Amino acid sequence: MVFGWFKKLKSGLSKSSDKISGGIKKILKSKKIDESTLEELEELLISSDLGVECSSNIISELRKSKLVSPSPENVKKIIKKKIEIILTNLERDIELKRNLFVVLIVGVNGVGKTATIGKLADKFVKEGKKVGVVAADTFRAAAVEQLKIWSEKTNAEFFSAKESSDPAALAYQSVVSAKKKKLDLLLIDTAGRLHNKTDLMNELSKIIRVMKKIDESLPNETILVLDGNIGQNSIRQAEVFKDMCNIDSLIITKLDGSAKGGAIVPIANKLKIPISFIGTGESQEDLAKFESDKFCSALLDMD
Ligand SMILES: Nc1nc2c(ncn2[C@@H]2O[C@H](COP(=O)(O)OP(=O)(O)OP(=O)(O)O)[C@@H](O)[C@H]2O)c(=O)[nH]1
Ligand SMILES: [Mg+2]
C-alpha cells in the first residue's frame, strides 16, 4: 500500500526527477569531480528551479566532501540532505481539531483551487468524515457547477448561493448550517484573484472578517494554492496574499506537468510557510500529503 503510494508520487514528479537525476547521471558519466563538473552540476540544479542559494549550498557541500569520482547516488544523497534541512520543518498535517473545521482556499486564477477541494473532500470523506464544500466563487456559474460536480463525485455536502450574491454572506451561512448539520469539515472555494485586483482582495478580507463574527478562530486553516508550473514566480504571488491574510499552509499543484518541482525548495526557504499537500494530477487521488523525506526521494528518483 505504502509502496504503491510512493510509486505514484514518484511518477507524478517524474518530469522533475528525470531532469535532475538524469542530468546528474549524464554529468558524472566517466568524469571526476572537478571545478568544471561542479559548475555543470550547479547549472543543472539552478535550471531545475532549486534556487541559486540552495544550489550554491549543495555545491559547497560537494566541494567539501572531496569525493573524487562519486556515484550519482552519492551526489543525490548529499543533495537530499541539504534540501531536507530546508523542508523538514515545513511539513504540515491538517488535523480536524475542531468539531467543525473550516478551511478557506485562496489563490490566483487557474492554479487548481477547485480541483484541490475535490481531492481534499475525497480524502476526508474516505476517512469517514462528514464534509461540505462551499461555492464562494459566486460570480461564475461555471465555477459553481464545477464544484457541484466534485461534491457529487465525492459525496460531500454542497453549499451555494444565487449568482452574483455576496460570497462573504454565503461563507457565513454555510458555517452556521454546517455546524447545525454536524459536519466535520467545511472547504470554502473562492474565486481566483490576481493580487493587483483590489476589489477581489477586499472581498477576500471580507469573507474572513465575516466568518470571525461566528468564531474568532475562523477560518481554522487558510490554504494558498500555488501552481507548480510557474516555479519560483509563485513567491511573489504568495507574498501578496500573505500581506492580505494569514496563510497557514501551501498546496502546490500540477507538479506532474512540470519539470520545476524543485521550486518547492526556494519557495519554502523564502516564505517559511508550511506545505500541507502537493497535487500530482487531475483525478481525485492525485493529492499527496507533503512529507519532506518522501518528496525529496521522489524528486531525486531515489528509493
Ligand atoms: N495535471 C494537473 N492538473 C491539475 C492539477 N490540479 C488542478 N489541475 C487542473 O488545472 C485546471 C484548473 O484547475 P481549477 O481547479 O479549475 O483551478 P482554480 O484555481 O479553481 O481556477 P479558478 O477558479 O478559475 O481560479 C483544471 O483543468 C484542473 O484539472 C494537478 O495537480 N495536476
Ligand atoms: Mg475554481
Side-chain angles (χ1 to χ4, degrees), residues 110 112-115 137 140 143 146 189-192:
K113 294 177 294 300
T114 307
D137 181 348
R140 287 190 305 127
Q146 187 192 358
D189 193 13
T190 60

Side-chain angles (χ1 to χ4, degrees), residues 4-291:
W5 175 83
F6 182 57
K7 215 165 129 185
K8 203 156 183 297
L9 178 68
K10 258 184 138 172
S11 85
L13 286 170
S14 63
K15 284 202 177 146
S16 301
S17 63
D18 283 354
K19 178 158 186 183
I20 304 176
S21 182
I24 293 170
K25 249 190 226 155
K26 221 161 129 192
I27 293 170
L28 293 179
K29 210 173 175 190
S30 72
K31 270 196 201 162
K32 292 196 161 52
I33 285 257
D34 57 18
E35 275 311 307
S36 93
T37 326
L38 287 174
E39 216 168 275
E40 276 182 63
L41 281 170
E42 187 165 15
E43 266 168 37
L44 171 72
L45 298 176
I46 292 172
S47 73
S48 306
D49 253 36
L50 277 161
V52 174
E53 190 186 329
C54 177
S55 302
S56 144
N57 286 343
I58 290 168
I59 298 304
S60 306
E61 188 71 25
L62 280 170
R63 195 177 281 120
K64 260 198 286 179
S65 71
K66 294 200 179 350
L67 293 165
V68 182
S69 30
S71 65
E73 283 311 306
N74 280 340
V75 169
K76 287 200 269 183
K77 272 186 199 153
I78 290 174
I79 298 177
K80 185 170 182 232
K81 216 170 90 187
K82 277 282 169 197
I83 298 180
E84 277 198 298
I85 293 172
I86 296 170
L87 296 180
T88 304
N89 296 321
L90 293 174
E91 295 171 347
R92 185 174 183 95
D93 206 5
I94 300 205
E95 287 173 54
L96 312 187
K97 282 170 279 191
R98 307 257 169 169
N99 286 340
L100 173 68
F101 195 81
V102 179
V103 177
L104 182 70
I105 304 280
V106 303
V108 310
N109 302 77
V111 288
K113 294 177 294 300
T114 307
T116 300
I117 288 189
K119 295 175 189 180
L120 287 169
D122 184 63
K123 170 189 150 60
F124 285 103
V125 166
K126 284 182 177 153
E127 287 174 12
K129 305 293 181 196
K130 284 170 81 178
V131 179
V133 297
V134 182
D137 181 348
T138 53
F139 294 100
R140 287 190 305 127
V144 177
E145 188 53 32
Q146 187 192 358
L147 191 67
K148 187 161 187 262
I149 292 168
W150 273 112
S151 76
E152 285 160 3
K153 216 190 291 189
T154 59
N155 289 320
E157 187 109 13
F158 180 65
F159 297 86
S160 66
K162 271 202 286 259
E163 207 174 323
S164 301
S165 57
D166 182 2
L170 171 64
Y172 183 93
Q173 283 149 14
S174 306
V175 172
V176 172
S177 165
K179 273 181 188 269
K180 275 196 199 132
K181 291 183 173 180
K182 297 202 182 320
L183 297 192
D184 300 300
L185 171 67
L186 194 65
L187 299 160
I188 304 179
D189 193 13
T190 60
R193 58 202 73 226
L194 291 174
H195 37 69
N196 54 5
K197 291 264 166 79
T198 320
D199 286 356
L200 277 173
M201 280 311 218
N202 288 340
E203 179 198 278
L204 188 59
S205 297
K206 189 179 168 195
I207 294 176
I208 295 168
R209 212 168 52 237
V210 166
M211 266 198 274
K212 286 195 184 300
K213 288 186 182 163
I214 302 174
D215 177 347
E216 186 54 39
S217 70
L218 292 180
N220 303 113
E221 178 96 6
T222 301
I223 300 181
L224 175 67
V225 180
L226 298 173
D227 180 339
N229 274 314
I230 68 163
Q232 291 179 72
N233 291 331
S234 291
I235 293 174
R236 174 81 192 119
Q237 262 176 36
E239 278 171 340
V240 179
F241 276 91
K242 218 173 137 182
D243 284 345
M244 199 70 196
C245 54
N246 178 46
I247 305 292
D248 298 297
S249 70
L250 303 174
I251 292 182
I252 317 228
T253 61
K254 308 190 192 182
L255 288 171
D256 53 308
S258 152
K260 294 179 174 170
I264 283 195
V265 179
I267 290 172
N269 197 26
K270 182 83 204 301
L271 298 168
K272 306 274 190 278
I273 304 175
I275 303 166
S276 43
F277 293 95
I278 55 175
T280 55
E282 291 192 271
S283 87
Q284 63 231 57
E285 292 89 25
D286 295 325
L287 185 78
K289 194 167 154 239
F290 180 71
E291 292 176 89

